[in-house]
Amino acid sequence: MADERSFLVIDLGGTRVRAASAACMTLRLTHRREEPTEIEGGPDGVIAQMVRLGRSVLEESGEAARVGVSALGPLDSRSGVVYSPPNLPGWKMVPLAARLEQALGLPTTIVNDANAAALGEFYAGSGRGHRNMVYFTISTGIGGGVIADGRLLEGSCGMGGELGHMTIDRHGPICNCGNVGCLEVLASGTSIARRFNERLSAGERSIVSEWTVGRPATAADVSRGAQLRDPLASAIFTDAAECIGVGVVNAIHVFNPELVVLGGGVAQAPGLFDIVRSMVERYAQPAPRRAARIVPAELRGDEGLIGAAAVAREQDKHSKSGIL
Amino acid sequence: MADERSFLVIDLGGTRVRAASAACMTLRLTHRREEPTEIEGGPDGVIAQMVRLGRSVLEESGEAARVGVSALGPLDSRSGVVYSPPNLPGWKMVPLAARLEQALGLPTTIVNDANAAALGEFYAGSGRGHRNMVYFTISTGIGGGVIADGRLLEGSCGMGGELGHMTIDRHGPICNCGNVGCLEVLASGTSIARRFNERLSAGERSIVSEWTVGRPATAADVSRGAQLRDPLASAIFTDAAECIGVGVVNAIHVFNPELVVLGGGVAQAPGLFDIVRSMVERYAQPAPRRAARIVPAELRGDEGLIGAAAVAREQDKHSKSGIL
């Protein structure tokens, strides 16, 4: 078998930990494991869980060349340290790569989840065959990852591609990140729900209230209301989609990609792509606009593991060629 | 002599054409030529001028391995075609690389002026020794160039790095480029002057009027007024500098660079760096902010030629290794 070497790959999310074996050449996944993330255990508990799932994969798959990990950011991929992800309570400056390396006895590389997802789409999803791709994941937050001339844009400590924290409205609201008028604070699922519920609390009316009795509306409710042509839901949804369009225009000007990939739950809302594409048609410069297609993400859950495998493979090449 | 091969390099600007010989290894410039751009001659006249200056360099320097050209954008560096630069009247889809190649008999690569300047700073200016650098040139317009992991971010047709056309105020004014609330329409030298003169026309007063009798104020006048603590000039200047700060924050989040380099006339205005740095301190995320230094450009005029030499060298490597 030409491709018998493999990597152990682990995807640490806020709700699930996944693990698998990935073929070194093809990045094909086998021996999958998945559990709800035991976040209440803090870093020690979660790392123990990752190690346990990883060992369980290795028992079946046999030896792995190294470990690739996709994890919630912010994190420093160079030092392997995870800062304080909002969705991992109790985590603060955790040397995740070093701890996994020690426990599993294998060289370990970590990458933040949005960059991993971008790599996953690039190698195994809608980005296949391209060289320049910008990936947005629009969900509870907005993350991003950029592939420039076939390589992940990492920056000096692996924090490149934070497209959700571009200011697009310098007079806008303050984001959780401390910045002003970020794409995320204007157009994430959380923001869509918050903006809608605020308007309801202020006395506006919406058909959405009919099916959200006793609970706040979610972004999915707002999207459904917009489909039903409810004026308030439509206004909030359209405004958020236009903000995403502004983010895509910025990405087209800054990166001149062949492909812009939109993933995450909000990107699947009916009508979103039409609004984004019409913003791009209206505001992006002709030459880079013509170069760029805007498409949905293809993968549904494996992008983090495949991206983790891609960074492990990259690291593997470097270590063999003696660069690192 | 170890480095006797050389490139012919030409820098086509809106006011000057420069040419020189550049050593292949060191990119050191010799045999310089410079003339005012004969823009009234249209593409034919300007190309003839570039060829004449180029030949004059070659007569003294001897044979060159190839030609590197920095030119006003927008242009497609892959096809070598210059679109319609606002500062080159009569130019429209001019196959500049092909025409120079034919006239000079040497393989020719073109790059837009902002990307060339970024490369120049990277190899011979304040970017020396770094891997990840973002360059803004803030002058009549705002251009940009990005070095990611040691390589120019070109995108699919060499138009990457258009940092002046990021929207930072989605409710802002329409830019010449057709986009809304671009950094350029809010903070370029042209914009600073325009915004100031509009406020004067609307009846506001400023000390700047004392020395600009009979002519509109320039960005330099506004900067001088701000230094003299004139309220109107200070307000306009500070607002523009804050916009540049927003652009730098975006660049720090998107690229996670070690270095942000600000060049161009407006970047030299007293007080500008203080305002930009305080915006970054206030709004950028801690980890990428700590990774990034914000510094002035070092080169004063040679950046385009050195950048053109860098792209010629890059192309030379590719052609030798058989990639192209």
Side-chain angles (χ1 to χ4, degrees):
Chain A
M1 193 165 130
D3 185 26
E4 57 189 359
R5 290 178 78 238
S6 67
F7 303 122
L8 169 62
V9 289
I10 307 176
D11 178 4
L12 170 59
T15 54
R16 275 182 198 75
V17 182
R18 299 166 200 255
S21 175
C24 290
M25 298 279 289
T26 62
L27 308 183
R28 201 170 62 88
L29 304 176
T30 52
H31 308 96
R32 293 153 189 273
R33 304 287 184 274
E34 182 174 330
E35 287 184 3
T37 311
E38 296 166 357
I39 47 169
E40 65 286 357
D44 290 346
V46 172
I47 292 172
Q49 183 182 23
M50 295 172 80
V51 169
R52 179 168 45 74
L53 285 177
R55 284 189 181 136
S56 149
V57 170
L58 291 172
E59 272 166 30
E60 271 188 30
S61 70
E63 206 181 340
R66 48 174 65 232
V67 183
V69 177
S70 163
L72 293 172
L75 59 80
D76 182 331
S77 63
R78 204 185 34 185
S79 65
V81 170
V82 175
Y83 292 99
S84 320
N87 294 319
L88 287 177
W91 286 58
K92 198 172 175 191
M93 300 294 279
V94 176
L96 180 62
R99 291 190 56 183
L100 291 172
E101 207 158 291
Q102 195 168 28
L104 293 163
L106 289 167
T108 300
T109 310
I110 69 175
V111 60
N112 79 53
D113 52 355
N115 281 349
L119 282 168
E121 284 293 330
F122 180 66
Y123 284 112
S126 42
R128 280 188 312 270
H130 292 276
R131 296 290 296 170
N132 298 281
M133 181 193 109
V134 178
Y135 172 83
F136 287 86
T137 171
I138 310 152
S139 152
T140 49
I142 297 185
V146 177
I147 312 291
D149 198 18
R151 300 194 310 175
L152 179 67
L153 187 147
E154 293 197 274
S156 67
C157 45
M159 294 186 174
E162 275 287 6
L163 305 176
H165 299 289
M166 279 190 292
T167 295
I168 62 164
D169 183 357
R170 72 186 190 101
H171 301 296
I174 297 292
C175 182
N176 280 333
C177 81
N179 193 13
V180 61
C182 288
L183 183 53
E184 174 164 304
V185 75
L186 295 167
S188 68
T190 311
S191 150
I192 291 170
R194 177 182 44 73
R195 292 167 73 189
F196 181 82
N197 289 312
E198 281 171 4
R199 297 272 289 265
L200 278 191
S201 301
E204 293 189 55
R205 286 156 169 276
S206 163
I207 196 174
V208 172
S209 307
E210 289 184 11
W211 69 80
T212 57
V213 182
R215 65 168 177 88
T218 64
D221 294 320
V222 178
S223 160
R224 190 177 153 203
Q227 276 183 271
L228 297 171
R229 301 187 185 281
D230 172 69
L232 179 59
S234 296
I236 299 283
F237 180 78
T238 301
D239 192 69
E242 288 182 354
C243 287
I244 295 167
V246 171
V248 171
V249 169
N250 282 0
I252 286 174
H253 290 166
V254 168
F255 297 108
N256 180 206
E258 293 109 63
L259 202 69
V260 178
V261 179
L262 306 183
V266 175
Q268 294 169 45
L272 184 123
F273 269 78
D274 290 342
I275 296 169
V276 169
R277 288 192 179 114
S278 81
M279 290 291 286
V280 168
E281 191 60 37
R282 182 164 171 196
Y283 291 119
Q285 295 181 14
R289 182 184 75 215
R290 282 192 298 266
R293 285 192 311 128
I294 303 164
V295 301
E298 276 180 16
L299 304 180
R300 293 278 180 272
D302 279 351
E303 58 273 23
L305 289 171
I306 296 170
V311 296
R313 181 170 66 180
E314 191 61 26
Q315 205 68 16
D316 205 40
K317 277 187 214 154
H318 282 312
S319 72
K320 281 186 192 163
S321 69
I323 291 175
L324 287 177
Chain B
M1 196 162 130
D3 185 25
E4 57 190 2
R5 288 179 79 238
S6 68
F7 302 122
L8 169 62
V9 289
I10 307 177
D11 179 2
L12 169 59
T15 53
R16 276 184 199 76
V17 182
R18 298 166 200 257
S21 174
C24 290
M25 298 280 288
T26 62
L27 308 184
R28 201 170 61 88
L29 303 176
T30 53
H31 307 96
R32 292 153 191 275
R33 303 286 184 275
E34 181 174 329
E35 287 184 1
T37 311
E38 296 165 359
I39 47 169
E40 65 285 356
D44 290 345
V46 172
I47 291 171
Q49 184 182 23
M50 295 171 81
V51 169
R52 178 167 45 76
L53 285 177
R55 283 188 182 139
S56 149
V57 169
L58 292 172
E59 273 166 29
E60 270 188 32
S61 70
E63 206 180 343
R66 48 174 65 232
V67 183
V69 177
S70 163
L72 293 173
L75 59 80
D76 182 332
S77 63
R78 204 184 35 183
S79 65
V81 170
V82 175
Y83 292 99
S84 319
N87 294 320
L88 288 177
W91 286 58
K92 199 173 176 190
M93 300 295 279
V94 176
L96 180 63
R99 291 190 56 182
L100 291 173
E101 208 158 292
Q102 195 168 28
L104 293 163
L106 289 167
T108 300
T109 311
I110 69 175
V111 61
N112 79 53
D113 53 354
N115 281 350
L119 281 168
E121 284 292 330
F122 180 66
Y123 284 112
S126 43
R128 280 189 312 271
H130 292 276
R131 295 290 297 171
N132 298 280
M133 182 194 109
V134 178
Y135 172 81
F136 286 86
T137 170
I138 310 152
S139 155
T140 50
I142 298 185
V146 177
I147 311 291
D149 198 18
R151 299 194 310 175
L152 179 66
L153 187 147
E154 292 197 273
S156 68
C157 45
M159 294 185 174
E162 274 288 5
L163 305 176
H165 299 289
M166 280 190 291
T167 295
I168 62 164
D169 182 357
R170 72 186 190 102
H171 302 296
I174 297 291
C175 182
N176 280 334
C177 81
N179 193 14
V180 61
C182 289
L183 183 53
E184 175 165 304
V185 75
L186 295 167
S188 68
T190 311
S191 152
I192 291 171
R194 178 182 43 73
R195 292 168 72 189
F196 181 81
N197 289 312
E198 280 170 4
R199 297 272 289 264
L200 278 191
S201 301
E204 294 190 55
R205 287 158 168 276
S206 163
I207 196 173
V208 171
S209 307
E210 288 183 12
W211 69 81
T212 57
V213 182
R215 65 168 176 90
T218 64
D221 294 320
V222 179
S223 160
R224 188 176 154 205
Q227 276 182 271
L228 296 171
R229 302 186 183 281
D230 173 69
L232 179 59
S234 295
I236 300 282
F237 179 79
T238 301
D239 192 68
E242 287 181 356
C243 287
I244 296 167
V246 171
V248 171
V249 169
N250 282 0
I252 287 173
H253 289 166
V254 168
F255 297 108
N256 180 205
E258 294 110 62
L259 203 68
V260 178
V261 179
L262 305 184
V266 175
Q268 294 169 45
L272 184 123
F273 269 78
D274 289 342
I275 296 170
V276 169
R277 287 191 178 116
S278 81
M279 290 292 286
V280 168
E281 191 60 38
R282 183 165 170 195
Y283 290 119
Q285 295 181 14
R289 182 184 74 215
R290 282 192 298 265
R293 285 192 311 127
I294 303 164
V295 302
E298 275 180 16
L299 304 181
R300 294 276 179 274
D302 279 350
E303 58 274 22
L305 290 171
I306 296 170
V311 297
R313 182 170 67 181
E314 192 61 26
Q315 206 67 15
D316 205 42
K317 277 186 212 155
H318 283 310
S319 72
K320 281 187 192 162
S321 68
I323 290 175
L324 287 179

